[in-house]
Amino acid sequence: MALEREKRKMKNPKIAIVGGGLAGLMSAIKLAEKGYALSLFSLVPVKRSHSVCAQGGINAAKNLKGEGDSPWQHFEDTVYGGDFLANQPPVKGMCEAGPGIIDLLDRMGVMFNRTPEGLIDMRRFGGTKYNRAAFAGTTTGQQLLYALDEQVRRYEAAGLIKKYEGWDFLSAVIDEAGICRGLCAMNLTTLEVRTFPADAVVLATGGIGYIFGKSTNSIICNGSAASAVYQQGAYYANGEFIQIHPSTIPGEDKLRLISESVRSEGGRLWTYKDGKPWYFLEEWHPEYKNLVPRDIASRAIYKVCYELKLGIEGKNLVYLDITHLDPKLIETKLGGVVEIYQKFMGEDPRKVPMKIFPGMHYSMGGLWVDYNQMTNIPGLFAVGECEYQYHGANRLGANSLLSCFYGGMIIGRSVVEYTTGLQSGVDSVPSTVFERELKRQQQINDQLLRSADGPENPYQIHKEMGEWMTEHVTVIRYNKNLQETDHKLQELLDRYKKIGLNDRGNWANPSLPFARQLYNMLQLARVITISALARNESRGAHYKPEFPNRDDENWLKTTKARFTLHGPELSYEPVDVSLIKPRPRTY
Amino acid sequence: MDTKTVHLKIKRQRRPDEASYWEEFEIPYRPNMNVIIALQDIQKNPVTRQGQKTTPVVWDCNCLEEVCGACSMIINGQVRQACSTLIDKLHQPIVLAPMTKFPVIRDLLVDRSRMFESLKKIKGWIPIDGTYDLGPGPRMAESERRKAYEFSRCMTCGCCLEVCPQVNPLSEFMGPAALGQVRLFNAHPTGQMNKAERWEAIMGPDGIANCSNDQNCVKACPKNIPLTEAIAELNRDLTFYGILGLLRR
Ligand SMILES: Cc1cc2nc3c(=O)[nH]c(=O)nc-3n(C[C@H](O)[C@H](O)[C@H](O)COP(=O)(O)OP(=O)(O)OC[C@H]3O[C@@H](n4cnc5c(N)ncnc54)[C@H](O)[C@@H]3O)c2cc1C
């Protein structure tokens, strides 16, 4: 048996990883370290992946401050913060692995901030009482990504990892038996479409912010890859759970995150009412005032702008004011924030109140995976923000980076197990399977380039999708509006049939991939909207005024959306709450 | 109503092997615009200032908060990140051109793969024994960590290569960015165990000897990385290393 396995190993399974953010790179390192050669696909040079944006930190209960923190406590906080919607065993595994992951990153040379003794410093985040997040200056994600990028480069130099940077994943190649046998991708410069045979394909394609038009995410976070495999039969789970950050600087191009620390240090939110400043949070929540939790602050701002129409200058904006704070305090505690605001808005927050609005920040939902990170399509795995597993109905700050690493560690084990156990490798799959998928994808390109003079502008469709999703499918959700949003999305899908590309060139033409991604975004937008419509309760980030309470009796279950030609079809599966009994979530 | 507009002049090129040409655009002004927003406007509605339909301008960007390094381009003669360059602070017409030290793929989009190749060459990594749980890493003084952090923020954006006179078609010079990374890894408690390897890597014809100390790199770096400091330090290290090598002979 063991010999048999060795023999198969000798045949060198083909492994493809799509995505070079933290999750994809960690998966790659784990597999390369075991001697597996693999291909790594990414839209951008992996070093520019969205993970660079994470600022705050990465959680791990290392208990470096004598507070009695423990992985179990971390597990408690995560499950509770996620409003009990996450299956508990994998979350427990993640929290237990946390301290070891920090040690590993430390050994890789991540420049974590240090204590006077030269140990790793820790800071506190929302949803916990412990100083549990390791951080590297104000660019933790960047520092972590670079450390992994460097290790991957080492394997690349050694010939074990081959990078395909500047390739867009279009679809999985699935054989007659329903097994994933590779992928189809398009080179963004030459626009060449190619299939790549693989015994296992790992999707690590990150978040979906671009579906909301503007978000705190990078603009390549469009969920297109996840949507593509959803349309090929992969389940998309808990799509309705979208985290909104209360304070972002709205730009026409993106929403830039303003740290919560501004409110902790005394920042006040206000807008004009009857010509006078109105501190709405202080009026509505006299006890907590400006320090209400993220979701409550976001809901209040939405109410002010969308329902009361009292945003600044009629726009969806309110003031976040620090002009009254001691300049010294601003300097020492809020220097980074001031710098960002000044850089992008050209105004000094010490003198003029900042203008902010809540912004789409993170998707708790994602591709459904089992405890081995495998989707329901055998051979197709998912890891990182593009899967649903670790955060339940709401993610705690600094837990996402951790879940990327932990998921990558699981991949390192489960992909090996899967490929070793395969009856027959990809080499025995008839070439027709690949030719069929290649043809299907090429036809889509041909069609798009032929229809290039249709009247509908894809950028306009994208804008409308983003506006509808942002207004109706984020902070406050009404069934009527969700219903209308789905109708709107169907209208947009209909209009999509008549789009025109403003560039038909066959060289480095971003209009083509954008049009393809737009279609996938529309399909995934429907999943998010329909899943939200169905869930008649409020849980974590999902809030319906018509159903303001959590309803465990009916809704303690995972949403699973399956693609059909008539739209997403929902089914549910129970949540494994075997370790911590659900209790009400009140902060 | 505000009828102000933004006037842009953009250097375009369809393919690597074709000649470049200029096109002008005029778009409606809005407060807080940056160069990316202007380019997005053109992307949505690619019509020149003369009212001629054209193809959208192609450029590179991703994070839009100046941490990914993608959107470097030459703006009014100065290389910088398009996302953090505000329209309000620029003279018009705003002139956009691709960086000149890298092959143009199309319009403002260039191929910076040579920078990543240099990182391979200098062995820019900590050679860890494996990702198994081997306990914590080495301790480090916060002061040293802070210094190293300055170098570890390098986004491989290419601005320093763009302004360096020694990076040119006649030279193989890897440029300041990679040298800064040598400084970073050689100062790390584990990384320094292999510092000789990295020194060797920068002693060749594409290495540190090319630097003519023009100091342009530090000024152009969007992250204010003390690149010339690193180069000076490395030069000292190499002199010492060279003498040792001679003595050993
Ligand atoms: C502003 C901001 C701050 C944050 N701060 C924190 C924090 O402090 N702590 C924390 O824990 N989390 C934080 N997060 C969340 C965290 O950054 C992300 O969830 C995490 O980085 C996602 O990593 P990933 O590896 O899954 O995906 P990403 O880093 O997004 O990488 C995705 C990869 O997939 C590739 N890709 C995508 N689509 C395709 C395709 N179609 N074809 C080929 N390749 C493709 C991309 O090129 C990229 O390489 C923050 C998020 C934001 C937006």
Side-chain angles (χ1 to χ4, degrees):
Chain A
M1 178 62 206
L3 188 77
E4 189 60 17
R5 194 174 300 156
E6 278 314 305
K7 256 200 280 176
R8 285 218 193 86
K9 245 190 192 164
M10 301 292 277
K11 276 198 291 179
N12 285 332
K14 290 197 172 74
I15 299 169
I17 295 177
V18 185
L22 289 174
L25 296 187
M26 187 64 181
S27 306
I29 292 166
K30 276 288 177 188
L31 287 164
E33 171 172 273
K34 296 197 170 112
Y36 289 89
L38 53 95
S39 335
L40 177 59
F41 294 80
S42 170
L43 290 168
V44 294
V46 296
K47 195 175 179 179
R48 307 201 197 286
S49 295
H50 164 70
S51 290
V52 286
C53 287
Q55 302 164 359
I58 172 169
N59 280 336
K62 277 185 77 74
N63 191 32
L64 290 174
K65 301 268 180 194
E67 300 164 315
D69 197 7
S70 66
W72 180 271
Q73 189 59 49
H74 184 188
F75 169 51
E76 264 273 342
D77 288 344
T78 304
V79 165
Y80 181 71
D83 228 349
F84 294 92
L85 197 63
N87 287 322
Q88 295 178 357
V91 178
K92 179 160 171 278
M94 171 177 83
C95 297
E96 284 169 349
I101 288 172
I102 299 294
D103 286 346
L104 169 62
L105 294 167
D106 187 21
R107 286 173 42 231
M108 284 181 182
V110 173
M111 291 300 165
F112 286 121
N113 282 45
R114 303 281 155 167
T115 65
E117 198 182 322
L119 296 170
I120 294 177
D121 202 0
M122 293 275 172
R123 66 157 64 134
R124 211 181 128 187
F125 257 73
T128 181
K129 299 194 191 85
Y130 300 89
N131 284 287
R132 187 185 286 153
F135 59 103
T138 52
T139 58
T140 307
Q142 181 194 43
Q143 298 303 308
L144 301 183
L145 186 72
Y146 289 4
L148 296 195
D149 175 65
E150 289 148 11
Q151 297 299 323
V152 164
R153 187 164 293 108
R154 186 179 168 204
Y155 286 116
E156 195 190 1
L160 270 174
I161 294 179
K162 182 164 166 49
K163 281 185 190 156
Y164 292 85
E165 292 171 324
W167 286 77
D168 189 0
F169 172 93
L170 303 179
S171 62
V173 175
I174 297 172
D175 72 7
E176 312 296 346
I179 299 174
C180 175
R181 299 296 194 174
L183 63 102
C184 187
M186 170 163 69
N187 182 301
L188 293 171
T189 302
T190 62
L191 304 188
E192 176 200 3
V193 177
R194 234 173 100 182
T195 53
F196 296 85
D199 292 295
V201 174
V202 180
L203 285 192
T205 49
I208 61 164
Y210 210 41
I211 289 179
F212 291 76
K214 288 176 288 184
S215 73
T216 61
N217 295 185
S218 298
I219 56 171
I220 56 166
C221 301
N222 54 40
S224 177
S227 174
V229 298
Y230 152 72
Q231 292 169 66
Q232 291 182 291
Y235 285 114
Y236 197 86
N238 288 345
E240 65 270 40
F241 293 96
I242 301 289
Q243 186 171 72
I244 309 300
H245 199 283
S247 54
T248 72
I249 321 170
E252 260 185 70
D253 50 346
K254 92 168 284 187
L255 312 175
R256 297 180 176 89
L257 197 72
I258 287 285
S259 161
E260 234 169 52
S261 57
V262 174
R263 285 187 293 128
S264 325
E265 300 299 338
R268 299 175 81 188
L269 286 169
W270 62 275
T271 188
Y272 282 106
K273 189 164 101 177
D274 308 324
K276 281 187 305 235
W278 176 40
Y279 297 88
F280 50 92
L281 278 182
E282 297 172 27
E283 186 180 310
W284 287 339
H285 303 280
E287 210 169 316
Y288 286 90
K289 298 199 171 77
N290 292 291
L291 274 179
V292 291
R294 271 185 193 186
D295 47 344
I296 299 191
S298 297
R299 273 175 229 156
I301 301 169
Y302 258 59
K303 192 167 166 182
V304 165
C305 294
Y306 280 117
E307 283 179 33
L308 306 176
K309 308 272 178 214
L310 283 175
I312 306 165
E313 296 158 19
K315 296 190 195 126
N316 289 332
L317 289 174
V318 297
Y319 289 119
L320 175 56
D321 200 344
I322 58 167
T323 56
H324 58 287
L325 296 181
D326 174 11
K328 249 202 231 106
L329 179 136
I330 296 182
E331 217 40 66
T332 52
K333 300 260 179 83
L334 303 174
V337 178
V338 168
E339 190 188 305
I340 286 201
Y341 195 84
Q342 227 162 355
K343 185 170 273 171
F344 289 98
M345 299 299 280
E347 283 178 345
D348 185 352
R350 283 165 291 212
K351 303 199 178 96
V352 200
M354 296 182 272
K355 294 178 202 148
I356 58 107
F357 194 70
M360 188 286 181
H361 184 50
Y362 185 84
S363 172
M364 273 70 73
L367 290 167
W368 181 91
V369 289
D370 63 16
Y371 292 178
N372 289 322
Q373 305 285 147
M374 189 156 87
T375 68
N376 55 308
I377 298 175
L380 180 66
F381 295 75
V383 62
E385 191 173 337
C386 73
E387 60 93 332
Y388 89 110
Q389 181 150 243
Y390 296 99
H391 309 291
N394 178 51
R395 170 181 72 92
L396 289 192
N399 257 357
S400 168
L401 300 180
L402 180 64
S403 64
C404 290
F405 288 104
Y406 183 64
M409 285 166 56
I410 300 286
I411 289 286
R413 174 173 56 67
S414 61
V415 165
V416 172
E417 275 169 17
Y418 171 80
T419 52
T420 312
L422 267 179
Q423 288 297 324
S424 58
V426 68
D427 296 334
S428 60
V429 176
S431 61
T432 47
V433 170
F434 296 94
E435 286 153 14
R436 192 178 51 207
E437 188 58 31
L438 184 69
K439 199 166 151 209
R440 185 169 83 96
Q441 297 303 333
Q442 249 158 357
Q443 267 169 357
I444 298 177
N445 277 7
D446 292 346
Q447 221 167 18
L448 277 168
L449 289 174
R450 254 206 321 274
S451 77
D453 44 11
E456 293 286 351
N457 184 336
Y459 296 98
Q460 179 60 30
I461 293 181
H462 177 248
K463 185 162 173 272
E464 289 179 37
M465 168 180 70
E467 283 167 1
W468 276 76
M469 292 300 289
T470 300
E471 181 163 354
H472 301 301
V473 201
T474 50
V475 175
I476 303 176
R477 294 160 169 189
Y478 291 100
N479 281 346
K480 182 170 152 285
N481 297 345
L482 293 168
Q483 190 65 261
E484 276 171 22
T485 305
D486 188 51
H487 289 155
K488 179 71 186 181
L489 292 169
Q490 291 181 57
E491 175 209 308
L492 294 175
L493 274 163
D494 211 44
R495 278 164 56 191
Y496 181 90
K497 292 179 190 143
K498 298 184 288 275
I499 60 168
L501 302 197
N502 50 23
D503 189 347
R504 305 176 193 216
N506 58 5
W507 178 262
N509 172 5
S511 308
L512 177 66
F514 177 75
R516 297 191 60 125
Q517 290 155 4
L518 175 63
Y519 181 80
N520 289 339
M521 285 190 266
L522 285 163
Q523 293 289 0
L524 204 53
R526 286 201 72 194
V527 173
I528 298 164
T529 308
I530 299 267
S531 303
L533 177 61
R535 185 175 283 273
N536 281 332
E537 65 159 350
S538 293
R539 181 187 296 270
H542 172 73
Y543 173 68
K544 283 187 175 176
E546 298 155 302
F547 304 90
N549 300 315
R550 193 175 91 193
D551 175 3
D552 281 351
E553 205 175 308
N554 294 304
W555 289 103
L556 184 53
K557 54 191 184 187
T558 299
T559 309
K560 291 167 81 176
R562 191 176 74 89
F563 176 80
T564 77
L565 290 175
H566 316 289
E569 188 184 273
L570 304 184
S571 61
Y572 295 92
E573 71 178 25
V575 180
D576 182 340
V577 289
S578 56
L579 299 166
I580 303 174
K581 204 166 155 276
R583 61 179 191 280
R585 174 176 174 260
T586 50
Y587 280 106
Chain B
M1 270 316 286
D2 205 339
T3 53
K4 257 168 68 180
T5 58
V6 181
H7 179 185
L8 296 119
K9 201 175 151 192
I10 303 177
K11 189 174 186 185
R12 307 202 53 180
Q13 185 173 337
R14 285 187 194 93
R15 283 174 175 270
D17 50 1
E18 286 186 23
S20 61
Y21 58 101
W22 291 88
E23 262 179 1
E24 295 189 39
F25 298 88
E26 196 166 335
I27 53 172
Y29 169 86
R30 285 97 66 199
N32 302 320
M33 285 177 96
N34 57 22
V35 169
I36 300 285
I37 295 173
L39 286 167
Q40 285 177 339
D41 261 25
I42 296 170
Q43 182 176 55
K44 284 170 199 156
N45 182 27
V47 176
T48 66
R49 194 164 186 239
Q50 289 75 25
Q52 217 98 63
K53 258 195 126 145
T54 181
T55 52
V57 176
V58 177
W59 80 98
D60 205 357
C61 71
N62 185 23
C63 79
L64 308 186
E65 22 186 273
E66 215 190 58
V67 278
C68 82
C71 65
S72 317
M73 60 181 71
I74 298 177
I75 303 171
N76 284 354
Q78 196 192 342
V79 67
R80 49 195 302 189
Q81 305 304 113
C83 66
S84 55
T85 303
L86 303 182
I87 298 286
D88 282 336
K89 306 208 163 146
L90 295 173
H91 284 294
Q92 294 196 23
I94 296 163
V95 182
L96 304 183
M99 288 193 284
T100 58
K101 302 289 171 76
F102 306 95
V104 171
I105 297 172
R106 188 176 169 188
D107 294 342
L108 305 171
L109 179 67
V110 298
D111 176 3
R112 277 170 281 191
S113 43
R114 61 171 286 185
M115 291 188 74
F116 295 107
E117 286 304 314
S118 302
L119 292 179
K120 259 188 224 160
K121 188 147 195 186
I122 59 137
K123 300 188 193 301
W125 51 74
I126 304 294
I128 56 166
D129 284 346
T131 62
Y132 333 100
D133 197 348
L134 297 176
R139 291 194 185 195
M140 206 173 185
E142 171 61 13
S143 55
E144 254 169 55
R145 198 281 314 176
R146 206 173 298 153
K147 190 79 209 161
Y149 176 66
E150 293 182 33
F151 291 98
S152 67
R153 293 173 78 205
C154 172
M155 321 183 277
T156 324
C157 68
C159 291
C160 60
L161 273 75
E162 179 62 27
V163 297
C164 176
Q166 298 303 103
V167 175
N168 61 54
L170 299 176
S171 117
E172 295 166 52
F173 185 32
M174 61 174 67
L179 298 176
Q181 294 301 295
V182 173
R183 155 69 176 77
L184 171 66
F185 294 107
N186 279 8
H188 185 272
T190 313
Q192 69 178 354
M193 298 173 189
N194 302 70
K195 61 186 173 190
E197 278 182 19
R198 292 188 202 93
W199 282 337
E200 297 279 351
I202 58 169
M203 285 165 74
D206 56 351
I208 192 164
N210 288 280
C211 171
S212 55
N213 204 19
D214 286 87
Q215 315 252 340
N216 294 356
C217 50
V218 238
K219 288 175 220 147
C221 177
K223 295 292 153 190
N224 302 316
I225 299 173
L227 289 162
T228 45
E229 222 175 274
I231 293 172
E233 259 178 62
L234 287 172
N235 269 323
R236 276 197 303 275
D237 288 348
L238 285 178
T239 313
F240 185 64
Y241 181 64
I243 293 170
L244 273 186
L246 285 178
L247 289 180
R248 256 192 241 116
R249 250 197 240 166

